[in-house]
Amino acid sequence: MFTNYFQMLSETLTSIFNQLPAKSVHAHCDGPCGVYDPASARVAAEAVLSMTKKLIALAPAGNDQASISAYNNTFSRFVAIKEEESQKAKKELLILWTDYFKPEHLATYPDLHDTFWKAAKLCSACKVNIDQTKAEELLAAVQKIHSMFWSSKGRSDNWITAS
Amino acid sequence: MITGLQQADKSLFRKPDLFTLFTLIIGYRQHLRVVGTSMERTLKEGDLVTYKKLNKKNIDLEIGDIVVASHPKTKNKLIIKRIHWIYQNKYDLRGDNSLASTDSRVLGLIELDLIIGKVDKIFSK
């Protein structure tokens, strides 16, 4: 009984405290926390798609040792770039998702979390596989995020790709 | 989190009580509403904090204390930070969320005169 009484008292007091008019005390940065632009993710996603296409098209020039070595070298380099750019795309997307977008954006973009989650998953898929469909899906996901981002700023920047 | 700084301060009494309310009413304690995220995880946006005003009799600030101070460069603006270090009566104030905090790393050391009070209670919504 006393526990209930104290709990009620505590809740009442909490309510009173939280209705008190209060001046603000700042616990934030005075400068902008960051400059955000989905362009970084777009460039990385484009590189992933480009490397994927190159890998699919790549074949050794011949059966001699020099041709096989050249093929292995180029293949490895393309894979390394694809890996690196996929990771970069994921990082850029996660920055937008977690730092730029705020809970209030969910009201305007209810599928925001789902879009970012799927885009991040596509980055992983592109890293692990040589899959042109996944790479194209990633670029499409980045385009969707581009639209969300700029419309959240009240702008409608065109989607322009480098390739 | 700043290296060497203690983790989120759990020691502050967070349950509201009649005594705190009374001291607020009579003006012994002051209260402020937190804006921003530089003190997360200790303080979240919207938290209400109470503090005791500093005077010549009760200057007992220690490293780890959370304090309210006047912004050294902007008039009529209060900041809330944790004492990271004390150098010859000047205070190195830092936010617990170092990635999102403008503090002594930018503002420089804060003079004691600018420190208004020491936070003693935190009430989350």
Side-chain angles (χ1 to χ4, degrees):
Chain A
M1 183 180 169
F2 279 113
T3 314
N4 285 344
Y5 172 75
F6 282 118
Q7 193 175 346
M8 276 176 60
L9 179 66
S10 176
E11 283 170 6
T12 309
L13 285 172
T14 302
S15 171
I16 293 169
F17 276 116
N18 280 317
Q19 283 173 22
L20 288 174
K23 278 175 67 179
S24 298
V25 63
H26 294 271
H28 68 170
C29 346
D30 298 325
C33 295
V35 174
Y36 302 100
D37 193 329
S40 315
R42 191 258 302 158
V43 172
E46 277 195 78
V48 171
L49 178 57
S50 171
M51 287 303 112
T52 304
K53 284 178 180 172
K54 282 177 186 288
L55 281 165
I56 291 168
L58 193 66
N63 285 328
D64 56 296
Q65 187 57 47
S67 300
I68 298 293
S69 294
Y71 168 80
N72 284 338
N73 183 55
T74 307
F75 188 91
S76 306
R77 290 186 63 234
F78 287 171
V79 168
I81 295 168
K82 178 173 71 69
E83 185 100 12
E84 193 180 313
E85 295 295 329
S86 299
Q87 188 59 35
K88 199 186 288 180
K90 189 194 272 186
K91 184 187 165 196
E92 294 295 338
L93 291 173
L94 295 184
I95 288 170
L96 287 174
W97 188 10
T98 55
D99 291 356
Y100 171 73
F101 283 102
K102 301 276 182 287
E104 52 266 31
H105 288 122
L106 279 172
T108 320
Y109 315 106
D111 60 341
L112 186 138
H113 287 334
D114 193 50
T115 303
F116 272 100
W117 185 68
K118 283 178 179 161
K121 286 281 181 193
L122 282 167
C123 292
S124 303
C126 290
K127 197 160 54 168
V128 175
N129 305 295
I130 302 174
D131 188 330
Q132 189 172 332
T133 308
K134 294 283 181 202
E136 284 167 350
E137 284 176 12
L138 172 60
L139 196 56
V142 173
Q143 184 174 2
K144 187 177 177 185
I145 288 163
H146 163 98
S147 303
M148 280 178 176
F149 176 85
W150 289 113
S151 87
S152 76
K153 287 177 163 286
R155 290 168 56 176
S156 58
D157 279 36
N158 291 330
W159 171 255
I160 298 168
T161 54
S163 52
Chain B
M1 183 69 65
I2 299 161
T3 310
L5 197 62
Q6 65 191 60
Q7 292 291 306
D9 194 335
K10 306 287 183 195
S11 65
L12 294 171
F13 183 55
R14 286 168 186 263
K15 282 190 176 175
D17 59 295
L18 284 170
F19 179 71
T20 305
L21 189 59
F22 176 71
T23 53
L24 276 175
I25 291 167
I26 64 170
Y28 177 69
R29 274 198 178 85
Q30 315 292 316
H31 66 286
L32 293 164
R33 183 85 62 194
V34 176
V35 176
T37 58
S38 82
M39 282 298 287
E40 284 186 354
R41 297 170 291 167
T42 312
L43 295 172
K44 296 191 299 294
E45 171 123 15
D47 282 355
L48 193 88
V49 296
T50 65
Y51 67 96
K52 286 179 190 164
K53 277 193 170 177
L54 286 192
N55 58 45
K56 286 179 183 172
K57 288 180 188 169
N58 71 351
I59 300 172
D60 58 346
L61 297 175
E62 293 174 3
I63 292 168
D65 286 344
I66 300 173
V67 293
V68 174
S70 294
H71 194 290
K73 293 177 182 170
T74 310
K75 268 190 175 181
N76 301 322
K77 183 173 181 179
L78 298 177
I79 55 173
I80 186 163
K81 304 284 172 193
R82 193 188 289 278
I83 297 177
H84 182 59
W85 203 250
I86 304 170
Y87 302 95
Q88 298 170 347
N89 228 18
K90 290 182 181 180
Y91 292 80
D92 181 345
L93 303 184
R94 305 275 182 101
D96 284 0
N97 179 7
S98 60
L99 292 177
S101 176
T102 300
D103 46 35
S104 285
R105 291 170 297 176
V106 176
L107 304 171
L109 297 176
I110 307 294
E111 300 279 349
L112 179 62
D113 292 349
L114 291 177
I115 298 179
I116 290 167
K118 178 171 150 181
V119 172
D120 61 353
K121 288 177 191 285
I122 301 167
F123 302 109
S124 297
K125 270 188 176 177

